[in-house]
Amino acid sequence: MSFSNLGLSEKVVSAVATAGYKTPTPIQEQAIPHVLARRDVLGIAQTGTGKTAAFTLPMLTMLEGGRARARMPRTLILEPTRELAAQVQESFVKYGANHKLNVALLIGGVSFDDQDVKLTRGVDVLIATPGRLLDHFERGRLLLNGVELLVIDEADRMLDMGFIPDIERICKLVPFTRQTLFFTATMPPEIRRITEQFLHNPVRVEVSRPATTVAATTQLIAKSGRDPHEKRDTLRRLIRSADGMKNAIIFCNRKRDVATLFRSLLRHGFSVQALHGDMDQPARMAALESFRKGEVTLLVASDVAARGLDILDVSHIYNFDVPFHPDDYVHRIGRTGRAGRSGTAITIVAGANDAKAVTAIEKLIGQPIPLMEKLPGQPLPPQHGVSERPHAQRNGQPHSKANDHHHPRRHGAPARSEEVRSRRTPPAPPPRPRSEDADVSHLPAFLFRPVKV
Ligand code: AMP
């Protein structure tokens, strides 16, 4: 299958060729002909599947006829975050290189007046976050009754962010006869209800579940104490000892923790940027850009800020906090191992609640996440023969080189050393820590002998 068989216009096919894409992705192949046939589409797909082009390309083809009128956008795309909205705008620039269409972005953190000037000129494609769109509408600066096509992207994230009432309101403000394209990675009941209410006889297009996209990523768990200092120390050890580190995104559950961790890493001399919802738009864009360009190695982020970001080549993901929702885990680690590359995702687990959250994640992804038995820089536990270590799996294969310092075992199973102690059998003299344990290798061997109490 090639792009020229999908019914797209010549201008679009040529822009796609210039972008270097040879074959459509499954979501593009399945959705584009239906969009061009003016059907409503329910797309179940996450970022990384090529879903943005699945709606952008047919939209460009359809917009070639007709003209926009002042304050009356012809098409409307709703995105949950400013970054995603900006990313979709970039797609229109890339794929619309042969078109003369007016594309406007209505997002928070950018001047109302500049946005208003654009609306007055007439807009073919309006890309907006729900809140800012309604602000413009309520000021009477925007009419929604000319919208022929509505795209609701990342709907499940809209739900997480509390945007569903805004979405329902917007759906009622656009004409009943418009075409609707609706994309979501998951189908919780609230989302199903919305699709039943606002889509007319939609074609359902589903591409592989997010959980299958994590196959190229080596996943590990690192245990830590709950004290934040200890967690930060654990993280620093993990980063310093990481093999093949090109760059990493570190996820925290709360915005204030993003800021604290960012400052701490900076103090410890790491090359780092922060990305969270309280930063203003230019600061967020600048942080993201410097990470994308490789000017900084680490990006500390919250889920909302980082959701859906298209950064193709992230080598490591660290979950400084175990995410509250298992779906967020899949989205977080989906930032690495993209486009056929391999990646490593390490989750720091501190305390019983975290362990419970990990169990829920393992259930969702349908596989256990191996536990690192020893953090870099710590001595091996007694009775732990190197040759007895089970190995982490990568794509179901024994994982050899990338994490030689990581000693994974099944999360939740007691460590071998714990078993030995509980049976009160005297442990054999432990092996001397290996040379990679740089901070203990200079100590004399007797210090590692077990002590009889
Ligand atoms: P998305 O799922 O829309 O976030 O797209 C993920 C990435 O895939 C983006 O970097 C796109 O530029 C890229 N992409 C989209 N369509 C194709 C295609 N047909 N072939 C190769 N790459 C693509």
Side-chain angles (χ1 to χ4, degrees):
M1 176 63 79
S2 83
F3 280 100
S4 49
N5 303 123
L6 295 176
L8 295 165
S9 72
E10 266 174 40
K11 283 183 186 175
V12 171
V13 173
S14 119
V16 166
T18 311
Y21 304 154
K22 298 207 162 44
T23 43
T25 64
I27 184 100
Q28 292 162 2
E29 193 178 320
Q30 292 174 58
I32 289 173
H34 293 299
V35 179
L36 290 171
R38 307 268 168 177
R39 291 285 303 271
D40 280 6
V41 172
L42 168 58
I44 309 201
Q46 63 155 359
T47 32
T49 54
K51 73 176 163 62
T52 315
F55 60 82
T56 323
L57 303 181
M59 279 175 75
L60 284 164
T61 300
M62 288 152 68
L63 287 165
E64 281 173 20
R67 276 199 61 201
R69 286 188 283 163
R71 305 204 174 280
M72 290 180 75
R74 298 169 69 195
T75 60
L76 171 62
I77 301 172
L78 297 174
E79 292 289 337
T81 66
R82 303 179 251 188
E83 282 77 14
L84 280 171
Q87 239 166 247
V88 172
Q89 187 191 32
E90 281 168 26
S91 293
F92 273 97
V93 172
K94 182 157 70 175
Y95 308 129
N98 304 323
H99 295 73
K100 282 207 182 85
L101 293 175
N102 289 337
V103 179
L105 200 56
L106 293 192
I107 52 176
V110 178
S111 132
F112 257 100
D113 293 339
D114 294 350
Q115 294 177 345
D116 196 52
V117 171
K118 279 207 158 177
L119 290 175
T120 317
R121 280 196 214 127
V123 169
D124 296 289
V125 182
L126 183 61
I127 307 161
T129 48
R132 185 50 82 100
L133 181 89
L134 287 170
D135 281 351
H136 277 274
F137 181 79
E138 275 154 14
R139 291 174 184 213
R141 314 304 294 170
L142 174 67
L143 298 166
L144 291 174
N145 47 355
V147 171
E148 299 156 27
L149 184 145
L150 170 69
V151 179
I152 300 170
D153 195 17
E154 301 265 343
D156 49 351
R157 174 60 29 165
M158 301 263 199
L159 175 68
D160 291 350
M161 294 170 72
F163 283 147
I164 292 301
D166 287 350
I167 298 292
E168 291 187 87
R169 206 174 142 212
I170 294 165
C171 282
K172 288 175 186 160
L173 292 171
V174 295
F176 181 76
T177 50
R178 94 265 156 183
Q179 180 182 9
T180 308
L181 313 178
F182 191 100
F183 293 90
T184 181
T186 55
M187 274 299 256
E190 189 66 0
I191 294 293
R192 189 177 306 278
R193 184 182 67 74
I194 298 276
T195 59
E196 283 163 8
Q197 191 179 353
F198 294 110
L199 296 184
H200 304 301
N201 188 24
V203 180
R204 188 183 161 113
V205 174
E206 188 162 356
V207 296
S208 60
R209 288 258 320 130
T212 60
T213 65
V214 303
T217 304
T218 302
Q219 300 173 63
L220 291 167
I221 278 172
K223 277 207 166 170
S224 164
R226 287 170 64 181
D227 179 80
H229 292 285
E230 217 176 308
K231 279 179 79 174
R232 289 197 289 270
D233 179 57
T234 302
L235 177 72
R236 289 194 297 273
R237 286 165 188 266
L238 290 168
I239 296 172
R240 287 190 179 121
S241 65
D243 249 340
M245 155 88 69
K246 181 174 171 283
N247 56 4
I249 304 181
I250 304 157
F251 284 98
C252 298
N253 287 350
R254 295 178 193 82
K255 285 182 256 187
R256 61 162 193 274
D257 293 339
V258 170
T260 312
L261 182 58
F262 163 67
R263 283 194 300 272
S264 160
L265 286 168
L266 211 55
R267 264 199 314 274
H268 280 86
F270 288 92
S271 157
V272 59
Q273 272 289 1
L275 187 72
H276 60 76
D278 281 351
M279 292 161 65
D280 65 18
Q281 185 61 13
R284 282 160 65 150
M285 291 295 192
L288 198 54
E289 214 33 43
S290 66
F291 182 68
R292 269 212 187 109
K293 285 189 193 152
E295 290 162 3
V296 292
T297 313
L298 307 177
L299 183 71
V300 188
S302 61
D303 289 291
V304 168
R307 173 74 174 244
L309 293 182
D310 183 21
I311 304 167
L312 264 188
D313 203 4
V314 178
S315 69
H316 284 67
I317 297 292
Y318 295 97
N319 290 318
F320 184 72
D321 298 310
V322 182
F324 296 130
H325 303 294
D327 274 349
D328 281 333
Y329 178 83
V330 176
H331 287 290
R332 286 180 183 187
I333 80 162
R335 310 293 102 227
T336 187
R338 300 187 99 190
R341 295 179 178 90
S342 60
T344 303
I346 303 183
T347 301
I348 298 177
V349 174
N353 284 345
D354 279 1
K356 239 192 252 168
V358 169
T359 307
I361 290 166
E362 291 178 327
K363 206 169 144 204
L364 175 76
I365 62 173
Q367 67 184 77
I369 309 173
L371 179 70
M372 293 164 58
E373 294 224 332
K374 172 180 87 66
L375 278 183
Q378 279 180 347
L380 283 168
Q383 265 293 51
H384 209 99
V386 172
S387 60
E388 289 174 10
R389 269 185 283 133
H391 287 275
Q393 303 278 306
R394 185 201 290 262
N395 276 337
Q397 301 296 314
H399 168 38
S400 54
K401 193 173 124 286
N403 288 289
D404 271 349
H405 54 272
H406 300 145
H407 304 268
R409 74 178 155 81
R410 171 73 183 82
H411 165 70
R416 189 177 154 75
S417 56
E418 287 164 26
E419 285 166 18
V420 170
R421 253 181 265 128
S422 68
R423 276 190 252 119
R424 293 188 173 276
T425 44
R432 187 191 162 84
R434 293 175 300 156
S435 58
E436 71 198 35
D437 304 314
D439 52 344
V440 292
S441 57
H442 60 287
L443 298 175
F446 73 85
L447 280 177
F448 299 99
R449 277 187 213 133
V451 178
K452 269 192 192 159
V453 181

